[in-house]
Amino acid sequence: MATKNHDRRWSVVAGALIIQGSLGAVYIWSVFQTPLLAQFPRWSETQVTLPAQLVIAVLACSVILGGFIQDRLGPRLVGSLGGLILGLGLILAGLTGHFPSGPALAWLIGTYAVLGGIGIGMAYVCPVATCVKWFPDKRGLITGLAVAGFGAGAFFFAPLAQALISGSDYELFGVALFPLPQAGVFNTFIVLGVIFLLAVVLGAQLLRNPLPGYCPPGWTPPCSTSSQPSGQSDFTPESRPESNPKPDFTPNFKPGKMLRTPTFWLLWITYLAGSTAGLMVIMKAAPIWKAFSLSAAAASEIPVSHEYFADIASAAAMAVAVLALFNAAGRILWGRVSDSLGRRPTLVLMFILCALVLFALDWMRPYPLYLLGVSLIALCFGGYLALYPAICADYFGTRHIGVNYGLLFTAYGSGGLLGPFLAAALLRTDGSIQYQALDATGSLATGVFQLGEYNVAFMSAGFLCLAAALLTLALRPPQSDKPGSRTCAQDTLMSH
């Protein structure tokens, strides 16, 4: 039975990757931004950014709801429900074009941001909470894998969305794979909604919690005589079945108790800083590159033809796709590194690297350098999404991991509001430039792109990351109320 359960845990990882790959398409918003501005010229930069901000915030709040329900009813039901709500939200977002400018923005927020965010949040927590229970022996690595799809989804879906909007070839790394018909920006929402609904519901069928007292074969907790690493079991000594007599002194903080610890709030603040910096770039990667490119065109007085603008848009979509790969890779890489180096040193390293790149990003305007810059930021951002659920399980246990990590995840949601807002609010406008693009009927139409500089936003986010690195040095595990000064698991964490 133990071997069967052990083998089953990898099918849970497969389900997690299917779900997260679909949910991660939330990062492709920047591909929609310019086409939406062309459809609704009265929208400002701040307004067109608003759905991207709110979907992250709603997502984060919904993780708490999803975690609460899945802790009681299991991950399969909650994951399936999340997929249905997400798909419905995007399908309804496809009706945005039927409304005038003002109501259209409200409709898009209600469907894409609110319904979509609820669906993503409910489905997101299920793979994370389930995988940390199956893998107490590889917690950093497995949380990285569990959320890797969330970063990688944009790699496949950003080029798909771009090709469907414009009616061009589906390209990966500049290689045209197959042509796609022009669906337009609104029908692209519908197509993606159907895809995500089916994929998330299918992946959720592979999720299930381990049996009580599950322990991977061949793995011995570091300190089984006085405590064990948080996450080996969800059961206190009083509720552990007699057939598995190993003592369990895992902290297993309840949500209310966790919120009263300074450790939680220190984690929350640093998570907010990393999320703000990462989402500022990830959610604006396409318009930032267009601003870089079109500023050069304006300076040289090159007319922005349809072909030239299409090349810029294609390069922008490729940037979103490439950073998605690094986002996914960062979740696996930094999760694995943290299992060896320790969570705290790994976080400090990531914050410093992210800050240095942000300080230099405005000068990285040649396309290869721009790709390198945004990819390194995405690499670090992916690491935050892998390490914070692992730290939450390390410090507060897994019995209430769904709700506990949901509460910590609100820092990510707040970063989703703050990061894109800073990018838009601190944008220094430098005029505008006209460009030609195909409209929904396939005819050439003239659009106006607002030129601007993002350097102040980049610098602000860089200083946030440096501050987070300093705060992380003060991070310590919370004290348990159980007898003894510290649990053995806490001693191990302190050494990291």
Side-chain angles (χ1 to χ4, degrees), residues 234-256:
D234 296 340
F235 292 82
T236 58
E238 293 80 8
S239 61
R240 177 178 291 281
E242 294 183 1
S243 59
N244 192 347
K246 292 181 182 179
D248 182 2
F249 296 95
T250 301
N252 281 327
F253 284 70
K254 291 183 178 180

Side-chain angles (χ1 to χ4, degrees), residues 159-217:
L160 176 63
Q162 177 64 39
L164 285 171
I165 291 170
S166 61
S168 57
D169 291 333
Y170 179 78
E171 297 182 357
L172 289 177
F173 294 114
V175 178
L177 299 180
F178 50 84
L180 286 171
Q182 184 181 19
V185 62
F186 302 116
N187 286 333
T188 298
F189 280 122
I190 297 175
V191 172
L192 293 178
V194 173
I195 293 173
F196 298 158
L197 188 155
L198 295 175
V200 174
V201 172
L202 173 64
Q205 307 316 303
L206 298 176
L207 300 183
R208 64 186 68 196
N209 285 321
L211 294 174
Y214 170 75
C215 183

Side-chain angles (χ1 to χ4, degrees), residues 87-96 99 107-108 111-112 115 189-190:
L88 177 64
L90 287 179
I91 291 169
L92 291 176
L95 303 178
T96 303
F99 298 93
W107 179 265
L108 188 59
T111 55
Y112 175 86
L115 280 179
F189 280 122
I190 297 175

Side-chain angles (χ1 to χ4, degrees), residues 65-79 81 122 126 130 133 207-209:
L65 173 64
F68 179 82
I69 300 174
Q70 77 91 36
D71 280 346
R72 287 154 178 77
L73 302 180
R76 188 182 304 171
L77 174 63
V78 180
L81 182 59
M122 292 186 67
C126 298
T130 306
K133 296 175 182 179
L207 300 183
R208 64 186 68 196
N209 285 321

Side-chain angles (χ1 to χ4, degrees), residues 278-367:
L279 289 169
M280 169 187 289
V281 174
I282 290 173
M283 302 299 281
K284 304 287 286 186
I288 289 172
W289 172 248
K290 290 174 183 176
F292 284 179
S293 301
L294 292 174
S295 294
S300 59
E301 298 183 354
I302 299 175
V304 183
S305 64
H306 162 59
E307 293 78 10
Y308 184 69
F309 186 78
D311 288 342
I312 292 174
S314 178
M318 179 53 59
V320 176
V322 170
L323 70 82
L325 282 184
F326 280 82
N327 189 351
R331 299 166 193 237
I332 301 172
L333 170 66
W334 295 116
R336 180 68 186 89
V337 169
S338 75
D339 282 337
S340 302
L341 185 63
R343 315 281 188 231
R344 189 173 56 182
T346 305
L347 274 176
V348 171
L349 180 61
M350 289 190 300
F351 280 127
I352 292 175
L353 175 59
C354 191
L356 293 176
V357 176
L358 282 164
F359 290 149
L361 189 58
D362 193 56
W363 290 273
M364 304 175 77
R365 297 203 173 200
Y367 189 62

